[in-house]
Amino acid sequence: MISVIDSVSHDSFFKSVTIDHFDRDCISDLAAGRIAAIRVPDLLPRSICEEVFQALTQAEFESYGQERVYPTVLRFGVGVSDHRHEGAVADSYWPAVRENDERWRSLGLSIDPFELCRKAIGTDWPGGIAVGRSGGRQMCPGVAREPNGGFQVHFDNVLREFKGNLLDANIISQFAFNLYLSMPDDGGETVVWRHRWSPADEAFRLPNSYGFSEDVVAGAESFVLKPAVGEGLLFDPRNYHAVRPSRGARRMALGMSIGLSDTGQLLTWG
């Protein structure tokens, strides 16, 4: 059973759908642009989300590079965007990935939350799903993020951020995935706009930032999502999107990027 949240636009393809599991048809629709987001409530049991969240509350978080990411976004894990040099993955990334693996193991979790998420996403996908590789080496599988101050309006497009192929594969479509571990009652909404980057948008880029002034999406159609704990969200991050500031409680989610390759496989990275 599918329920649909339409935006106020006249584009019937710019919408979020809610389903009870990630299925082949909806992932295909997302890749083709017939929908803009897929929501799966209770993708993982609340007990697992609580276990991961409680373990992470005892962990030491780092932040994305504060010279370009502001307000501060805390993370537990490795973001490849912090290890980019002249359009390629910097050598510093691989020691950070090894250290990240050790840090996640030190949490003592009874499960691997990223593996559970991959299985939940790929259970009905014929091409399968796996952690991506670059130069034969496995990428970081995902990151825990805490953007209590929000994310600026931005887009994600691996083909524009890296020269050539980030992964050992040809990526033909890109998704962003989040599993929500904690959400505030007030704030923390995800906003998605029906607008993709064009060269003229650079006039709206914030100084030395990954983000843009909200004027870049002025007049564009949009929808607002308020995820719940345990919900899985898959959307096209090439559309501009943002996260509103949280108030009164922490907003924490597991996140990963997902590329659809020209062989039909889904490949993930942090």
Side-chain angles (χ1 to χ4, degrees):
M1 179 90 177
I2 297 178
S3 64
V4 175
I5 302 173
D6 288 310
S7 75
V8 295
S9 75
H10 296 95
D11 183 356
S12 61
F13 287 174
F14 186 70
K15 61 193 176 188
S16 168
V17 301
T18 301
I19 56 179
D20 59 10
H21 69 283
F22 287 110
D23 65 33
R24 177 179 182 175
D25 289 344
C26 279
I27 294 175
S28 297
D29 283 347
L30 184 62
R34 285 188 289 265
I35 58 176
I38 305 170
R39 305 177 71 177
V40 178
D42 301 317
L43 181 71
L44 294 187
R46 181 174 284 269
S47 59
I48 289 178
C49 296
E50 181 67 17
E51 178 188 351
V52 178
F53 175 70
Q54 289 300 328
L56 287 170
T57 60
Q58 305 303 311
E60 182 177 352
F61 275 56
E62 298 173 326
S63 63
Y64 286 94
Q66 294 185 27
E67 69 280 357
R68 71 178 185 89
V69 180
Y70 49 86
T72 299
V73 174
L74 299 177
R75 62 171 167 80
F76 186 84
V78 180
V80 71
S81 61
D82 270 350
H83 296 270
R84 184 172 57 227
H85 179 66
E86 296 182 349
V89 179
D91 291 340
S92 60
Y93 178 68
W94 302 108
V97 170
R98 291 192 294 272
E99 181 182 350
N100 172 74
D101 292 342
E102 291 296 329
R103 294 185 70 202
W104 276 96
R105 278 193 288 270
S106 73
L107 296 181
L109 297 172
S110 65
I111 44 83
D112 178 342
F114 294 109
E115 181 181 13
L116 291 182
C117 290
R118 291 194 302 272
K119 288 180 178 178
I121 296 165
T123 184
D124 194 41
W125 187 252
I129 186 169
V131 180
R133 292 180 175 272
S134 179
R137 292 180 285 188
Q138 184 170 288
M139 303 289 286
C140 176
V143 182
R145 287 189 282 251
E146 188 173 352
N148 293 321
F151 275 112
Q152 304 278 11
V153 177
H154 70 287
F155 70 93
D156 301 294
N157 187 335
V158 68
L159 300 183
R160 295 192 180 277
E161 294 165 12
F162 290 89
K163 295 178 181 178
N165 291 331
L166 170 64
L167 305 181
D168 298 338
N170 295 316
I171 299 301
I172 59 174
S173 191
Q174 183 176 343
F175 312 133
F177 171 80
N178 288 290
L179 174 80
Y180 297 90
L181 304 176
S182 175
M183 284 292 294
D185 292 332
D186 188 10
E189 298 89 352
T190 296
V191 187
V192 183
W193 286 270
R194 187 184 175 276
H195 180 66
R196 295 192 180 188
W197 180 86
S198 70
D201 292 348
E202 289 303 309
F204 299 98
R205 187 180 288 275
L206 299 172
N208 302 315
S209 176
Y210 75 103
F212 295 76
S213 161
E214 200 153 321
D215 291 337
V216 76
V217 290
E221 304 157 10
S222 65
F223 55 73
V224 179
L225 305 176
K226 179 70 181 237
V229 172
E231 179 175 324
L233 172 65
L234 194 66
F235 69 99
D236 189 331
R238 295 170 296 183
N239 290 320
Y240 278 93
H241 54 284
V243 172
R244 299 308 191 197
S246 300
R247 293 172 290 275
R250 301 173 73 172
R251 185 193 195 276
M252 191 183 298
L254 302 182
M256 64 179 81
S257 296
I258 303 177
L260 173 60
S261 77
D262 59 358
T263 65
Q265 189 177 29
L266 297 173
L267 299 169
T268 73
W269 69 94

